[in-house]
Amino acid sequence: MNFSTTRAFGLFAAIATVTIWAVFMLVTRFAVQGNFTVEEVLVLRLIPGAIVMIPWMWKLGILSRGVPWPRALILMIGASAVFPYVVSKGLEFAPASDRGALAPGMLPFWAALAAYALAGEIPGPRRRIGLAMILTGAVVVSLWPILGGARDGAWRGHLMFLTGSGLWAIYSVIFRQSGLTPMHGLVIGLFWGTLTITPLLLLSGNVSFAMANWGDIVVMMVIQSLIIGILAMVLFSYAVRLLGAAESSAFGALTPILALLGGVMFLGESVGPLKVFGVVLVAAGVFLASGILRKFDAAAKPIE
């Protein structure tokens, strides 16, 4: 039996994906606080990834045919450039532990709103409870410190995390309706994101790599483009194929927890009991909103 077609590989792919997502937050936070600008990080994500994927671009094409141009525009630059830039910019102001709860953690909530607005989908009762838990946890993580008098500017990062998550949710709904395969969506995003956004980044005046040495640049290039930009997408596609969308999405509940632990262990971020409660509430809401429990209920129902 081919291991890449087994459920065990699907579980491995799902766990590896959420681990990479958490690493993205930690590495990017470390980079923008150190030797890199956000613009430099995004250049290192786009250009090498686009070069590696040239054979697939040639094979699959770089156009989303049959998709109206406003939606095609989102498919072309949304996931590859806009979402990573907004979220990475937020890491200049707020810790990675907050990003875990407010970006991937809030994604099911925004996705439900986007699905309702764009496709008329209404979530079931159990999923609505999970979405309410996500929103409550996000308020605890973000709004409570602001009301408590925090003046370190973290609210700017929180706003960017929420904006980036909302943009990603819109992209996800449009991508699902487009009929594109994950690999085709990846190459379309890399081609057009690199072609249109990279010149703007270079013209911003924030791409000089003056503070980084060649070793740092190579390491960041590998992590951002090959591991985060490409490998995570491929692994998540395998997870969805082998486990199903609901079970794969449930693993996303681990991302806020991993980001919280990583922020404390590797970046020295300060985390109080209230933030821990908020992050755990978001993670539990993500698990509930994924629909995996409904799947188990259906599996356990006796055949009449």
Side-chain angles (χ1 to χ4, degrees):
M1 179 182 293
N2 188 348
F3 179 65
S4 64
T5 63
T6 63
R7 176 177 171 80
F9 183 77
L11 293 172
F12 163 79
I15 294 173
T17 300
V18 298
T19 302
I20 292 173
W21 288 345
V23 168
F24 162 68
M25 306 174 208
L26 302 177
V27 169
T28 305
R29 170 72 169 174
F30 179 78
V32 299
Q33 285 188 317
N35 299 332
F36 294 90
T37 65
V38 172
E39 290 77 11
E40 289 168 349
V41 170
L42 191 54
V43 165
L44 293 177
R45 180 189 181 101
L46 287 172
I47 295 179
I51 293 173
V52 169
M53 298 304 292
I54 286 176
W56 286 270
M57 293 177 187
W58 182 265
K59 178 181 179 180
L60 299 174
I62 55 172
L63 297 176
S64 51
R65 302 185 186 280
V67 179
W69 72 264
R71 297 192 174 204
L73 184 63
I74 293 175
L75 293 173
M76 290 158 62
I77 64 172
S80 62
V82 176
F83 170 72
Y85 178 79
V86 172
V87 172
S88 298
K89 199 70 175 177
L91 286 168
E92 287 186 345
F93 304 100
S97 54
D98 291 2
R99 192 265 187 193
L102 300 179
M106 278 291 290
L107 184 58
F109 180 84
W110 296 129
L113 289 182
Y116 176 75
L118 298 175
E121 296 182 10
I122 300 176
R126 184 180 288 167
R127 191 178 174 202
R128 287 199 293 267
I129 293 174
L131 295 174
M133 292 171 65
I134 291 172
L135 183 60
T136 303
V139 169
V140 171
V141 171
S142 182
L143 184 58
W144 187 266
I146 296 174
L147 296 177
R151 300 182 182 274
D152 59 356
W155 65 269
R156 297 186 182 95
H158 294 166
L159 184 60
M160 292 177 184
F161 296 155
L162 293 171
T163 301
S165 181
L167 292 173
W168 178 263
I170 295 172
Y171 166 84
S172 299
V173 174
I174 292 175
F175 174 79
R176 185 176 61 184
Q177 294 176 338
S178 71
L180 296 172
T181 65
M183 187 62 73
H184 197 185
L186 174 63
V187 299
I188 288 174
L190 279 175
F191 177 84
W192 292 106
T194 304
L195 184 67
T196 60
I197 302 300
T198 300
L200 298 178
L201 296 173
L202 296 176
L203 291 172
S204 70
N206 294 324
V207 181
S208 66
F209 299 103
M211 299 295 293
N213 58 48
W214 278 107
D216 294 336
I217 292 173
V218 171
V219 170
M220 189 59 60
M221 185 187 303
V222 171
I223 293 175
Q224 289 288 340
S225 64
L226 302 183
I227 296 178
I228 297 172
I230 296 176
L231 181 60
M233 176 69 79
V234 174
L235 287 173
F236 185 70
S237 299
Y238 267 103
V240 171
R241 181 185 304 171
L242 298 172
L243 302 178
E247 193 168 350
S248 300
S249 299
F251 278 91
L254 294 174
T255 306
I257 302 296
L258 292 176
L260 177 71
L261 295 175
V264 173
M265 294 173 61
F266 300 112
L267 301 180
E269 295 178 354
S270 177
V271 177
L274 195 60
K275 181 183 287 190
V276 173
F277 171 73
V279 170
V280 171
L281 193 61
V282 168
V286 171
F287 180 82
L288 195 60
S290 69
I292 188 173
L293 295 180
R294 181 179 58 189
K295 175 184 174 181
F296 289 157
D297 288 346
K301 186 177 179 179
I303 300 176
E304 295 179 358

XYZ file of all heavy atoms in Angstrom, residues 173-236:
485
model
N -13.969 31.240 0.128
C -15.291 30.994 -0.441
C -15.244 31.112 -1.963
O -15.792 30.271 -2.690
C -16.321 31.973 0.147
C -17.670 31.817 -0.548
C -16.483 31.730 1.647
N -14.568 32.138 -2.460
C -14.467 32.322 -3.913
C -13.678 31.185 -4.542
O -14.028 30.689 -5.619
C -13.818 33.689 -4.231
C -14.769 34.808 -3.817
C -13.468 33.803 -5.711
C -14.198 36.192 -3.971
N -12.619 30.738 -3.867
C -11.823 29.635 -4.401
C -12.655 28.362 -4.486
O -12.610 27.636 -5.481
C -10.590 29.402 -3.519
C -9.800 28.187 -3.913
C -8.934 28.233 -4.992
C -9.920 26.993 -3.218
C -8.200 27.115 -5.370
C -9.207 25.882 -3.582
C -8.338 25.940 -4.664
N -13.443 28.085 -3.451
C -14.274 26.884 -3.445
C -15.280 26.909 -4.585
O -15.551 25.889 -5.224
C -14.994 26.752 -2.097
C -15.799 25.473 -1.953
C -16.405 25.366 -0.572
N -17.319 26.449 -0.294
C -17.929 26.637 0.865
N -17.672 25.832 1.871
N -18.762 27.648 1.038
N -15.829 28.078 -4.881
C -16.810 28.208 -5.953
C -16.162 28.200 -7.339
O -16.834 27.957 -8.330
C -17.613 29.496 -5.771
C -18.483 29.515 -4.524
C -19.175 30.848 -4.329
O -18.749 31.875 -4.852
N -20.257 30.842 -3.558
N -14.859 28.464 -7.405
C -14.185 28.584 -8.700
C -13.976 27.246 -9.390
O -13.838 27.193 -10.621
C -12.827 29.265 -8.517
O -11.907 28.398 -7.860
N -13.915 26.152 -8.621
C -13.652 24.842 -9.201
C -12.187 24.573 -9.464
O -11.832 23.534 -10.025
N -11.291 25.470 -9.046
C -9.859 25.258 -9.229
C -9.347 24.195 -8.264
O -9.870 24.034 -7.158
C -9.092 26.563 -8.981
C -9.353 27.728 -9.935
C -8.666 28.983 -9.415
C -8.874 27.398 -11.334
N -8.314 23.463 -8.678
C -7.635 22.563 -7.761
C -6.704 23.376 -6.866
O -6.313 24.498 -7.222
C -6.798 21.532 -8.531
O -5.742 22.215 -9.237
C -7.658 20.753 -9.516
N -6.336 22.842 -5.694
C -5.417 23.592 -4.825
C -4.103 23.959 -5.514
O -3.602 25.070 -5.340
C -5.189 22.620 -3.656
C -6.439 21.800 -3.604
C -6.847 21.626 -5.030
N -3.539 23.040 -6.307
C -2.283 23.329 -6.980
C -2.452 24.425 -8.022
O -1.598 25.302 -8.165
C -1.730 22.061 -7.633
C -0.328 22.235 -8.212
S 0.913 22.642 -6.955
C 1.055 21.054 -6.134
N -3.581 24.394 -8.750
C -3.824 25.429 -9.748
C -4.017 26.786 -9.082
O -3.498 27.810 -9.555
C -5.052 25.070 -10.589
C -5.126 25.838 -11.873
N -6.207 25.749 -12.728
C -4.267 26.726 -12.450
C -5.993 26.530 -13.771
N -4.835 27.134 -13.624
N -4.750 26.804 -7.983
C -4.915 28.046 -7.241
C -3.591 28.579 -6.724
O -3.349 29.796 -6.728
N -2.705 27.674 -6.301
C -1.393 28.075 -5.791
C -0.559 28.735 -6.879
O 0.025 29.803 -6.667
C -0.662 26.849 -5.233
C 0.784 27.063 -4.789
C 0.857 28.051 -3.641
C 1.416 25.736 -4.381
N -0.502 28.113 -8.071
C 0.357 28.666 -9.119
C -0.210 29.980 -9.675
O 0.554 30.896 -10.024
C 0.589 27.651 -10.264
C 1.264 26.407 -9.737
C -0.705 27.289 -10.977
N -1.545 30.089 -9.741
C -2.146 31.351 -10.183
C -1.776 32.471 -9.210
O -1.375 33.573 -9.613
C -3.675 31.212 -10.299
C -4.045 30.347 -11.508
C -4.339 32.580 -10.417
C -5.526 30.042 -11.604
N -1.897 32.189 -7.919
C -1.577 33.192 -6.921
C -0.112 33.588 -6.939
O 0.231 34.772 -6.850
N 0.771 32.606 -7.059
C 2.202 32.910 -7.066
C 2.599 33.723 -8.292
O 3.388 34.668 -8.197
C 3.016 31.615 -7.005
C 3.192 30.993 -5.626
C 3.906 29.656 -5.727
C 3.968 31.935 -4.704
N 2.065 33.351 -9.460
C 2.441 34.077 -10.677
C 1.994 35.531 -10.607
O 2.802 36.460 -10.772
C 1.832 33.402 -11.912
C 2.131 34.135 -13.189
C 3.317 33.919 -13.861
C 1.216 35.054 -13.703
C 3.602 34.612 -15.034
C 1.496 35.746 -14.885
C 2.689 35.522 -15.548
N 0.689 35.749 -10.393
C 0.172 37.105 -10.437
C 0.574 37.918 -9.209
O 0.795 39.132 -9.315
C -1.344 37.084 -10.593
C -1.768 36.560 -11.924
C -2.309 35.349 -12.209
C -1.631 37.232 -13.175
N -2.535 35.206 -13.553
C -2.126 36.351 -14.181
C -1.145 38.495 -13.558
C -2.149 36.708 -15.516
C -1.165 38.832 -14.891
C -1.662 37.956 -15.858
N 0.684 37.268 -8.060
C 1.158 37.978 -6.877
C 2.574 38.481 -7.061
O 2.905 39.621 -6.731
N 3.434 37.616 -7.621
C 4.818 38.015 -7.867
C 4.902 39.099 -8.934
O 5.646 40.078 -8.792
C 5.653 36.791 -8.309
O 5.550 35.768 -7.301
C 7.110 37.166 -8.495
N 4.127 38.949 -10.008
C 4.192 39.888 -11.122
C 3.694 41.279 -10.740
O 4.263 42.300 -11.160
C 3.366 39.350 -12.295
C 3.395 40.178 -13.588
C 4.783 40.141 -14.202
C 2.353 39.665 -14.572
N 2.634 41.349 -9.940
C 2.011 42.642 -9.651
C 2.461 43.277 -8.341
O 2.600 44.501 -8.256
C 0.472 42.505 -9.625
O 0.096 41.557 -8.593
C -0.050 42.018 -10.953
N 2.690 42.470 -7.319
C 2.979 43.020 -5.996
C 4.469 43.261 -5.780
O 4.855 44.246 -5.139
C 2.433 42.087 -4.894
C 0.929 41.898 -5.069
C 2.740 42.651 -3.514
C 0.128 43.184 -4.988
N 5.320 42.388 -6.328
C 6.763 42.548 -6.113
C 7.280 43.916 -6.565
O 8.059 44.547 -5.832
C 7.539 41.421 -6.810
O 7.129 40.164 -6.273
C 9.040 41.590 -6.583
N 6.897 44.418 -7.757
C 7.370 45.762 -8.127
C 6.953 46.839 -7.126
O 7.733 47.760 -6.843
C 6.713 45.998 -9.497
C 6.491 44.626 -10.043
C 6.147 43.784 -8.853
N 5.739 46.733 -6.582
C 5.289 47.706 -5.589
C 6.120 47.622 -4.322
O 6.448 48.646 -3.710
C 3.810 47.478 -5.270
C 2.822 47.638 -6.440
C 1.405 47.335 -5.974
C 2.903 49.039 -7.024
N 6.462 46.404 -3.925
C 7.296 46.231 -2.741
C 8.679 46.832 -2.953
O 9.231 47.493 -2.067
C 7.419 44.739 -2.403
C 6.120 44.023 -2.019
C 6.375 42.530 -1.875
C 5.554 44.587 -0.728
N 9.247 46.605 -4.144
C 10.576 47.138 -4.438
C 10.566 48.667 -4.495
O 11.540 49.320 -4.093
C 11.078 46.558 -5.763
C 11.305 45.041 -5.779
C 11.710 44.577 -7.168
C 12.359 44.628 -4.760
N 9.462 49.243 -4.983
C 9.355 50.700 -5.075
C 9.051 51.353 -3.729
O 9.128 52.576 -3.604
C 8.266 51.081 -6.082
C 8.580 50.781 -7.555
C 7.342 51.036 -8.416
C 9.755 51.620 -8.046
N 8.692 50.548 -2.731
C 8.341 51.107 -1.421
C 9.540 51.692 -0.696
O 9.384 52.475 0.239
C 7.696 50.020 -0.547
O 8.670 49.048 -0.161
N 10.741 51.292 -1.100
C 11.946 51.753 -0.420
C 12.289 50.957 0.823
O 13.244 51.288 1.537
N 11.511 49.897 1.087
C 11.734 49.086 2.290
C 12.361 47.735 1.974
O 12.336 46.834 2.813
C 10.411 48.876 3.029
C 9.853 50.167 3.583
O 10.591 51.036 4.024
N 8.531 50.322 3.535
N 12.877 47.569 0.776
C 13.514 46.308 0.388
C 14.970 46.591 0.023
O 15.278 46.962 -1.118
C 12.792 45.647 -0.803
C 13.460 44.319 -1.155
C 11.327 45.422 -0.470
N 15.851 46.447 0.991
C 17.281 46.646 0.761
C 18.117 45.513 1.340
O 19.256 45.314 0.942
C 17.735 47.971 1.366
O 17.620 47.930 2.783
N 17.540 44.789 2.299
C 18.238 43.708 3.010
C 19.528 44.209 3.654
O 20.496 43.454 3.811
C 18.542 42.536 2.067
C 17.317 41.896 1.475
C 16.934 42.160 0.169
C 16.524 41.051 2.240
C 15.810 41.586 -0.375
C 15.388 40.466 1.705
C 15.029 40.736 0.392
N 19.523 45.485 4.028
C 20.723 46.089 4.596
C 21.080 45.514 5.964
O 22.256 45.489 6.345
C 20.535 47.602 4.705
N 20.067 45.050 6.687
C 20.300 44.557 8.052
C 20.528 43.055 8.106
O 20.831 42.514 9.165
C 19.101 44.922 8.929
C 18.834 46.407 9.053
S 20.171 47.253 9.913
C 19.972 46.532 11.555
N 20.351 42.361 6.972
C 20.418 40.892 6.968
C 21.654 40.419 6.210
O 22.030 41.009 5.190
C 19.164 40.309 6.333
N 22.268 39.349 6.710
C 23.373 38.744 5.970
C 22.830 37.658 5.047
O 21.651 37.292 5.106
C 24.434 38.182 6.923
C 23.870 37.136 7.882
O 23.169 36.212 7.475
N 24.181 37.283 9.164
N 23.722 37.115 4.204
C 23.280 36.139 3.215
C 22.723 34.863 3.857
O 21.786 34.259 3.354
C 24.427 35.789 2.263
C 24.595 36.795 1.173
C 25.588 37.721 1.035
C 23.709 36.988 0.067
N 25.385 38.496 -0.076
C 24.248 38.066 -0.701
C 22.532 36.393 -0.365
C 23.638 38.522 -1.868
C 21.920 36.853 -1.519
C 22.466 37.894 -2.267
N 23.306 34.461 4.976
C 22.794 33.277 5.664
C 21.365 33.459 6.128
O 20.516 32.577 5.955
N 21.082 34.640 6.723
C 19.717 34.933 7.170
C 18.745 34.956 5.992
O 17.615 34.464 6.084
C 19.673 36.292 7.878
C 20.446 36.299 9.178
O 20.623 35.211 9.755
O 20.876 37.386 9.611
N 19.190 35.529 4.869
C 18.329 35.645 3.690
C 17.977 34.261 3.141
O 16.818 33.982 2.815
C 19.016 36.500 2.605
C 19.118 37.958 3.080
C 18.250 36.413 1.287
C 19.921 38.845 2.157
N 18.973 33.383 3.053
C 18.725 32.036 2.521
C 17.767 31.269 3.429
O 16.826 30.622 2.960
C 20.053 31.265 2.350
C 19.776 29.802 2.015
C 20.896 31.908 1.253
N 17.995 31.341 4.745
C 17.121 30.640 5.689
C 15.691 31.168 5.595
O 14.726 30.395 5.539
C 17.656 30.789 7.130
C 16.624 30.267 8.135
C 18.961 30.030 7.291
N 15.537 32.493 5.554
C 14.202 33.081 5.475
C 13.532 32.718 4.149
O 12.322 32.473 4.090
C 14.290 34.595 5.618
C 12.954 35.301 5.761
S 11.986 34.755 7.200
C 13.131 35.170 8.530
N 14.320 32.659 3.074
C 13.783 32.300 1.768
C 13.215 30.883 1.784
O 12.114 30.638 1.296
C 14.895 32.400 0.712
C 14.447 32.156 -0.715
S 15.881 32.103 -1.838
C 16.633 33.708 -1.510
N 13.955 29.960 2.352
C 13.511 28.566 2.409
C 12.256 28.432 3.261
O 11.279 27.778 2.869
C 14.636 27.661 2.958
C 14.107 26.259 3.225
C 15.805 27.614 1.983
N 12.251 29.076 4.423
C 11.106 28.957 5.331
C 9.859 29.607 4.734
O 8.773 29.004 4.710
C 11.435 29.593 6.696
C 12.532 28.789 7.404
C 10.180 29.662 7.567
C 12.998 29.404 8.705
N 9.992 30.833 4.229
C 8.831 31.578 3.763
C 8.267 31.035 2.455
O 7.046 30.896 2.308
C 9.195 33.062 3.597
C 9.412 33.806 4.892
C 8.126 34.068 5.651
O 7.039 34.045 5.092
N 8.235 34.323 6.945
N 9.134 30.745 1.482
C 8.624 30.369 0.164
C 8.382 28.874 0.027
O 7.297 28.445 -0.385
C 9.587 30.838 -0.923
O 10.842 30.186 -0.809
N 9.376 28.076 0.378
C 9.267 26.636 0.134
C 8.425 25.927 1.189
O 7.572 25.099 0.864
C 10.656 26.009 0.059
C 11.596 26.599 -1.015
C 12.914 25.831 -1.032
C 10.942 26.579 -2.379
N 8.659 26.253 2.455
C 7.964 25.537 3.531
C 6.567 26.107 3.775
O 5.567 25.387 3.749
C 8.798 25.565 4.823
C 10.120 24.812 4.609
C 8.011 24.930 5.978
C 11.044 24.825 5.809
N 6.502 27.430 3.993
C 5.215 28.047 4.315
C 4.368 28.262 3.064
O 3.178 27.954 3.037
C 5.432 29.380 5.060
C 6.140 29.127 6.392
C 4.110 30.093 5.286
C 6.573 30.390 7.098
N 4.985 28.788 2.006
C 4.232 29.146 0.822
C 3.774 27.971 -0.022
O 2.709 28.014 -0.634
N 4.607 26.898 -0.084
C 4.294 25.776 -0.979
C 3.980 24.498 -0.204
O 2.927 23.893 -0.402
C 5.463 25.528 -1.958
C 5.650 26.745 -2.863
C 5.212 24.279 -2.796
C 6.832 26.648 -3.795
N 4.891 24.081 0.670
C 4.721 22.795 1.352
C 3.441 22.751 2.179
O 2.715 21.746 2.158
C 5.937 22.507 2.239
C 5.916 21.173 3.002
C 5.825 19.995 2.029
C 7.145 21.052 3.897
N 3.139 23.824 2.912
C 1.929 23.836 3.738
C 0.678 23.673 2.884
O -0.260 22.963 3.264
C 1.856 25.124 4.554
N 0.651 24.325 1.716
C -0.502 24.212 0.824
C -0.664 22.786 0.310
O -1.767 22.239 0.282
C -0.342 25.174 -0.354
C -1.449 25.072 -1.395
S -3.049 25.664 -0.803
C -2.805 27.439 -0.974
N 0.445 22.161 -0.084
C 0.391 20.794 -0.603
C -0.048 19.825 0.487
O -0.905 18.956 0.270
C 1.758 20.382 -1.179
C 1.749 18.913 -1.590
C 2.113 21.255 -2.381
N 0.507 19.974 1.680
C 0.146 19.083 2.785
C -1.322 19.235 3.158
O -2.015 18.241 3.424
C 1.029 19.378 3.996
C 2.485 18.906 3.911
C 3.276 19.421 5.102
C 2.562 17.385 3.843
N -1.797 20.466 3.200
C -3.206 20.674 3.550
C -4.129 20.052 2.500
O -5.177 19.503 2.831
C -3.509 22.163 3.697
C -4.903 22.442 4.183
C -5.266 22.139 5.483
C -5.853 23.005 3.343
C -6.552 22.386 5.942
C -7.137 23.255 3.784
C -7.485 22.948 5.092
